[in-house]
Amino acid sequence: NRGKGAAVREGLRRARGKAILFTDADLSTAPSEIPRALRKLAAGADVAIGSRHLAGSRLPIPQPLTRRLGGRVFNLAAKILLGLPYADTQCGFKAFSRAAARRLAAAGREDGFAFDLELLLLARRFRLAVTEFPITWSDRAFTTVSLARHAPRMFRAILTLQRRLPDTVVYHPARALPLILFSCACAVVGQILYKIGARAIPPLPLGADFLVAMASSHWIQGGLVFFMSCAVTWILALARVDLSFAFPMLSLNFVFTALYAWLWFGEHLSPARVGGIAFVIAGVMVIASGGQAHPARGKDVL
């Protein structure tokens, strides 16, 4: 028993039909969905994948909440780490043209439950047209998938696929968020240290004595170090995202510094500042959760 991926791959190799489809053995996907998948192939798709999370999907018997949350987290990880734009990569209902099935089966190596991700990445490498469509799906209590046992393996498989198929991985802007947040933290700490140092300097007219006092303050020196770290990490982050993400990303600095000034020094937050904070946070959340990755080399048809 080499795993589900190995079994499905062997089936794709041996099947002789013009169109080749696999579905879960428990028939969680209604057989009435098969004609819909075949129509997608007849319309020109090389690969047609069923989805439980698109508008129009029907779930007469939904999964338990923990499994739904686990699936959503895994799919989000696949979107961010692999750049796969699909709403549901793990649905066990996928159809292929015979040529596509043979080509994907010959190139596949993933034997576990993450083989679906590998198939979609290979489809991108081979420039196959992939379409995703809503289905009717019901949960079956006797599934063999265990969240505790299989989830760690599948997340490890995502990282393995990221390393093994780097030419198929499309960069998602949300992957820059840790770097962005670190840069914002550096900016906030830098401004706190700078303000503490500036307030400790006695009132002096702008001139040589003032500049010497500023330069000799350890607080201000520490603030400048954090400002430099902020600038370097901003540049690194900007090199990883496209322009659609750059503006809200840069604006995060405004949010953090405004909030720190309000909480630390009691500075007044004007309505304009509050509105700006809300606008920036909303923009970043939308892009991070639902933003599209950079355009794929292949034809991902949604």
Side-chain angles (χ1 to χ4, degrees):
N1 181 358
R2 290 174 49 203
K4 182 179 179 180
V8 170
R9 209 164 42 245
E10 186 66 18
L12 294 179
R13 276 195 289 264
R14 293 179 180 237
R16 299 179 180 181
K18 181 180 178 181
I20 299 171
L21 179 145
F22 71 79
T23 186
D24 289 328
D26 60 9
L27 294 183
S28 52
T29 303
S32 59
E33 298 296 331
I34 294 176
R36 183 185 297 187
L38 298 181
R39 286 195 295 270
K40 297 294 182 181
L41 297 180
D46 299 304
V47 181
I49 65 175
S51 174
R52 296 162 290 186
H53 306 317
L54 290 178
S57 298
R58 294 179 61 249
L59 305 176
I61 306 176
Q63 289 177 307
L65 179 60
T66 54
R67 293 179 63 82
R68 290 204 303 272
L69 291 176
R72 292 285 189 168
V73 169
F74 181 80
N75 206 69
L76 181 61
K79 181 177 289 188
I80 293 175
L81 297 176
L82 300 177
L84 290 173
Y86 311 109
D88 188 1
T89 60
Q90 297 310 112
C91 179
F93 187 78
K94 293 179 172 64
F96 310 81
S97 67
R98 179 164 56 190
R102 296 284 173 80
R103 194 173 187 187
L104 294 172
R109 288 166 46 188
E110 176 59 45
D111 289 344
F113 284 102
F115 78 99
D116 300 83
L117 300 178
E118 183 186 52
L119 288 177
L120 294 173
L121 289 173
L122 291 172
R124 171 175 286 163
R125 168 180 281 181
F126 300 145
R127 299 179 179 272
L128 302 178
V130 180
T131 186
E132 186 176 21
F133 61 96
I135 58 170
T136 297
W137 186 93
S138 297
D139 184 50
R140 305 299 185 196
F142 44 86
T143 177
T144 60
V145 178
S146 167
L147 198 61
R149 187 169 72 253
H150 292 111
R153 300 181 196 171
M154 293 181 73
F155 277 101
R156 283 198 300 271
I158 288 181
L159 299 178
T160 300
L161 290 171
Q162 192 182 60
R163 293 191 300 269
R164 185 162 65 81
L165 302 171
D167 60 313
T168 66
V169 175
V170 178
Y171 193 87
H172 192 284
R175 287 172 62 187
L177 278 178
L179 197 60
I180 295 166
L181 295 175
F182 177 77
S183 183
C184 289
C186 287
V188 171
V189 173
Q191 292 207 36
I192 290 175
L193 296 179
Y194 181 86
K195 282 207 170 188
I196 291 175
R199 291 189 173 201
I201 295 174
L204 292 170
L206 183 59
D209 292 340
F210 175 78
L211 294 177
V212 169
M214 293 279 287
S216 60
S217 170
H218 295 301
W219 291 105
I220 292 177
Q221 291 172 9
L224 292 176
V225 170
F226 276 95
F227 284 142
M228 291 176 63
S229 301
C230 171
V232 170
T233 48
W234 273 126
I235 293 171
L236 292 174
L238 283 173
R240 296 167 182 263
V241 297
D242 56 26
L243 293 178
S244 67
F245 197 66
F247 173 73
M249 186 188 76
L250 288 170
S251 301
L252 275 176
N253 241 342
F254 162 75
V255 172
F256 279 89
T257 52
L259 290 176
Y260 118 79
W262 171 54
L263 294 171
W264 191 277
F265 294 107
E267 294 184 4
H268 177 64
L269 282 180
S270 66
R273 271 181 132 182
V274 173
I277 290 172
F279 175 78
V280 170
I281 292 177
V284 172
M285 291 292 291
V286 167
I287 292 174
S289 62
Q292 293 298 315
H294 290 181
R297 294 181 178 88
K299 298 180 291 181
D300 291 311
V301 183
L302 294 180

